[in-house]
Amino acid sequence: MIDPALRSEALALAEAIAPEVFDSALYLLDRAELTRPWPNDCLAYCGPTDKFSCDYLAAKNKWHGHGVLIAVDFTRFAEDHPENRRWAFLNLFLHELAHGVPAPPPRAETDDAEIAALLTRLESERYERAAAQAEKTMNETDSDHGFRFLRTVIHLWYRALTSGFFGHLDAIMGPMYGIASMARYVEALGDEPRRMFAETFGHIQATKPPAAFSALWTNELSRAKRSKQC
């Protein structure tokens, strides 16, 4: 099970840097707390709440309505991170939180077809297959770890810094996802995270990013495609 202190710190961090997710609800659960099937190689995921999380939370009297669910295989995580566990966990949490903002519209439940689609996607995004994930990321501008996600990660990272958590961008999203240098993207985004500190992520994503940021992404895509052709 997720360490209670880590769970509390992660949720407090989310409330400080992305309060809009609490307009509905944000849940952080261990895979052991869910009855849904779980791919063996999946460490964590983020998505809308569904009937599995609803049933569990309702039974524990912790259901506050539909919202965003972040689930972590904490047993595996703890085995992979015997040291610096707090730092590593919060970096992982920030990555998953970036998938959850802006918060998705609430829905009553997830049907079997949606669950099957989710599991298929998780299977295709294996944490151990960095090269395959990198290829997917660099060739899909709107993939789960694409252009908009990268921008969101930088904003969350910046806000976390101001809240006292000094996360590492390469630990949140870096070479594993085909990004050669996160520092270059931070530089290209300029002062946007500071200027838009008080804005919702819905507003941020609806706003055109700096031209330098878009150009850097486009150049990386082109380079990845050329490398693949060679």
Side-chain angles (χ1 to χ4, degrees), residues 2 8 13 19 21 29-30 68 71 76 79 83 87-89 98-99 105 124 136-137 149 161 168 178 201 215 223:
I2 297 174
S8 296
L13 180 62
V21 297
L29 299 178
D30 190 282
V68 176
R76 176 184 162 191
E79 292 172 351
E83 300 178 354
W87 183 82
F89 184 81
H99 287 299
S124 71
K136 176 184 177 184
T137 301
F149 180 80
L161 289 178
H168 197 295
F201 281 90
R223 185 169 61 252

Side-chain angles (χ1 to χ4, degrees), residues 18-208:
E20 66 199 80
V21 297
F22 288 89
D23 289 344
S24 50
L26 174 64
Y27 304 98
L28 176 56
L29 299 178
D30 190 282
R31 67 165 290 183
E33 298 175 278
L34 298 174
T35 57
R36 68 148 50 115
W38 186 283
N40 291 332
D41 54 7
C42 179
L43 180 61
Y45 76 88
C46 176
T49 50
D50 54 33
K51 63 182 179 182
F52 291 101
S53 53
C54 174
D55 290 346
Y56 171 81
L57 290 162
K60 297 291 184 179
N61 199 29
K62 295 181 179 180
W63 178 249
H64 306 297
H66 283 286
V68 176
L69 168 67
I70 296 176
V72 179
D73 184 343
F74 193 76
T75 298
R76 176 184 162 191
F77 170 83
E79 292 172 351
D80 292 344
H81 298 89
E83 300 178 354
N84 299 320
R85 189 170 295 167
R86 169 185 173 272
W87 183 82
F89 184 81
L90 291 179
N91 280 317
L92 172 64
F93 178 78
L94 286 176
H95 177 103
E96 298 304 327
L97 182 62
H99 287 299
V101 292
R107 56 185 182 184
E109 62 180 30
T110 301
D111 61 27
D112 292 341
E114 288 179 294
I115 295 168
L118 171 66
L119 295 179
T120 299
R121 178 175 67 79
L122 292 176
E123 279 287 351
S124 71
E125 294 175 1
R126 301 186 179 191
Y127 278 76
E128 298 94 315
R129 297 174 60 184
Q133 179 61 64
E135 181 177 333
K136 176 184 177 184
T137 301
M138 295 309 301
N139 284 281
E140 297 181 21
T141 57
D142 197 29
S143 72
D144 287 341
H145 298 98
F147 180 79
R148 290 189 300 173
F149 180 80
L150 176 60
R151 186 184 183 195
T152 299
V153 162
I154 295 174
H155 276 266
L156 286 173
W157 167 77
Y158 176 82
R159 294 182 182 194
L161 289 178
T162 66
S163 294
F165 174 65
F166 297 92
H168 197 295
L169 271 173
D170 283 339
I172 302 171
M173 179 177 180
M176 185 177 190
Y177 296 96
I179 305 300
S181 173
M182 288 294 292
R184 294 175 62 197
Y185 281 96
V186 172
E187 181 180 4
L189 201 56
D191 68 345
E192 182 185 274
R194 179 187 60 79
R195 288 188 293 103
M196 304 188 79
F197 186 86
E199 301 291 349
T200 67
F201 281 90
H203 178 78
I204 292 170
Q205 290 191 4
T207 304
K208 189 175 181 179

